[in-house]
Amino acid sequence: MSRPTLLYKSDPVRGAVWDRVLREEAPDIALEVWSPDAPPSDAAYLVAWIPPEDLARSVPKLEVLFGLGAGVDHLALDHLPLRVQVVRMVDPDLTRSMVEYVLYAVLALHRDIPAYLTDQREGRWAPRPVRRSADRTVGVMGLGVLGRAAAEALRDLGFSVRGWSASEKSIPGITGFAGPDALPGFLGSCEILVCLLPLTDATRGLLDAEVFKALPAGAGLVNVGRGGHVVEADLLAALESGHISAAMLDVLATEPPPPDHPLLQHPRVMLTPHVASATHPDSAARQVIRAIRRHRDGLPMENIVDRRQAY
Ligand code: NDP
Ligand code: OXD
C-alpha cells in the first residue's frame, strides 16, 4: 500500500509541531503543507480549521477532512463534496481544558465573583451569603463529549446538575431532559445555565428572551458554545432587568467584537476571547494519525460529523 499524504492547512507554528509528531511517530504518513499557489494536491487526507474553498479542484482525491475544532459550524458542510467524510476533533486535552473553564465560570457565578469585582472597583466591602454547591442547580445544554464531561465534573463538585440534549441520556447523578418539548421544564430550575451546544439551524439564536424568561430570577449564564446561540440584544435586556444576574461568555456573535460592543464593558459580564478550550497540536496530531491508520485498515471512522444534523 502506498504512503498516504496528509495535507495540513493551518498556522505554521502549530504546523511545526505536526511535522515533528508525524516524523517521530508516523513515518508511514507523509505530511504536505498547503499553499494557495501550489498545484492540486494528491492527498487523501486534509486537516484544517477552514478548508480551501475549491476543495474539489485543489484536493481532488480527498477522502477525509479532519476539522481542527470540536465544532464544525464554520466548515460550510453543504459545499463539501459528498464523498468526503468529515471528522471533528475529539481529544482528551481539549475536553480537559473545557472542563476547567466551565468549572471556573460556574464557580465564579456561584460565588458572586462579578458582583465582588464591582464592589472592589467601587470600594465596597459587602459580604453576601455563601451558598452550598448542593443547593445550587446548574443546567448544561448539550451533553456530548464536552457537555457531558463538564456536567460530570460539576456533579462531582456537589452541584445539583441537569442536562438537556437532543436524544435521551442516562448519566448517573444528572437529571436528563431531551428535545424541544422538555426545554421549559429543564430551564425552570437552572440557576446557572451552561451552553455547550453545537451551532446548527436548530440551535442558532436559541438563547433568546423566551429562554431567559424561563430561567429562575437572578440566574447566571455561561456560554462556551458559539456566539450565534445567544440573541445578544435579549441578553443585554435580561441583564438590565436583573433577571440574568451575570454572564461569563467565551464566544460572541462577532469575533473579535467591535470596540464599542455593549457586552465588552458590561459590569456583570466576564468575557474571554474564545479560549475556553483549544486543540493542542501534539495530541491532535496523534488523534489524526490514529484515525488515518484506522481508515487505511478499513475500520469504521470515529467522530464522524453527521452531515444532516451538522454536528
Ligand atoms: P458533541 O457533538 O459531542 O455534542 C453536542 C451535544 O449537543 C449533544 O449532546 C447533542 O445531543 C446536543 N444537541 C445538538 N443539537 C441539539 C438540539 N437541537 N437540541 C438539544 N440538544 C442538541 O459536541 P461537543 O460536546 O464536542 O462540542 C460542543 C460545542 O462546543 C462545539 O460544537 C463547539 O461549538 C463548542 N466548542 C467551543 C469551544 C470554545 O473554546 N469555546 C471549544 C470546543 C468546542 P445528542 O447527544 O442527543 O446528539
Ligand atoms: C472548537 C473551538 O470548536 O475551538 O474546537 O471552538
Side-chain angles (χ1 to χ4, degrees):
M1 202 187 276
S2 67
R3 193 169 169 239
T5 297
L6 171 65
L7 180 63
Y8 172 89
K9 177 181 179 286
S10 192
D11 87 76
V13 175
R14 288 163 163 262
V17 179
W18 280 76
D19 183 49
R20 176 181 53 73
V21 175
L22 267 109
R23 271 189 291 108
E24 286 173 4
E25 298 183 22
D28 51 319
I29 301 170
L31 185 72
E32 184 182 316
V33 176
W34 181 82
S35 150
D37 311 320
S41 165
D42 273 345
Y45 304 99
L46 167 67
V47 60
W49 175 257
I50 308 254
E53 270 172 27
D54 55 348
L55 208 50
R57 191 201 63 79
S58 57
V59 201
K61 297 184 183 158
L62 185 64
E63 293 175 38
V64 184
L65 164 62
F66 295 99
L68 272 170
V72 293
D73 46 289
H74 55 284
L75 283 181
L77 292 174
D78 290 348
H79 298 289
L80 297 178
L82 273 175
R83 67 188 160 73
V84 174
Q85 290 192 307
V86 181
V87 172
R88 68 192 192 92
M89 190 51 66
V90 172
D91 172 65
D93 284 348
L94 183 82
T95 304
R96 247 187 303 276
S97 298
M98 181 57 82
V99 169
E100 281 172 12
Y101 187 98
V102 171
L103 289 181
Y104 173 78
V106 168
L107 287 171
L109 297 181
H110 170 59
R111 298 305 305 267
D112 299 316
I113 299 303
Y116 285 125
L117 289 174
T118 304
D119 286 353
Q120 183 187 351
R121 269 192 301 272
E122 296 176 358
R124 252 191 322 272
W125 181 270
R128 293 168 175 76
V130 174
R131 279 183 61 186
R132 297 179 306 180
S133 54
D135 297 332
R136 178 85 72 182
T137 300
V138 181
V140 180
M141 302 180 95
L143 290 174
V145 175
L146 302 178
R148 179 179 178 141
E152 288 176 338
L154 290 163
R155 174 203 63 197
D156 295 346
L157 264 186
F159 288 103
S160 165
V161 182
R162 42 179 50 204
W164 182 69
S165 49
S167 58
E168 308 239 342
K169 304 270 179 268
S170 168
I171 308 176
I174 293 171
T175 311
F177 295 78
D181 294 346
L183 186 57
F186 162 77
L187 295 169
S189 305
C190 293
E191 297 174 277
I192 299 175
L193 180 67
V194 178
C195 175
L196 255 170
L197 290 166
L199 187 63
T200 65
D201 288 346
T203 64
R204 191 179 306 278
L206 185 67
L207 300 186
D208 63 1
E210 200 182 330
V211 160
F212 297 141
K213 205 167 126 208
L215 296 170
L221 172 69
V222 177
N223 188 18
V224 272
R226 288 286 185 259
H229 287 128
V230 172
V231 178
E232 290 177 353
D234 291 358
L235 174 59
L236 279 161
L239 283 162
E240 281 326 303
S241 74
H243 191 72
I244 298 279
S245 57
M248 177 131 192
L249 309 174
D250 182 55
V251 285
L252 289 177
T254 303
E255 295 176 6
D260 59 350
H261 193 296
L263 287 168
L264 269 181
Q265 307 294 342
H266 200 289
R268 282 178 285 119
V269 173
M270 298 196 290
L271 271 182
T272 48
H274 200 142
V275 292
S277 188
T279 303
H280 301 276
D282 44 5
S283 52
R286 288 190 183 92
Q287 298 298 333
V288 169
I289 291 168
R290 192 172 148 266
I292 291 176
R293 288 185 179 147
R294 281 182 71 86
H295 191 242
R296 303 307 278 179
D297 290 346
L299 295 169
M301 298 289 278
E302 295 168 335
N303 309 316
I304 291 189
V305 174
D306 179 330
R307 294 278 195 104
R308 278 167 309 127
Q309 293 191 311
Y311 69 92

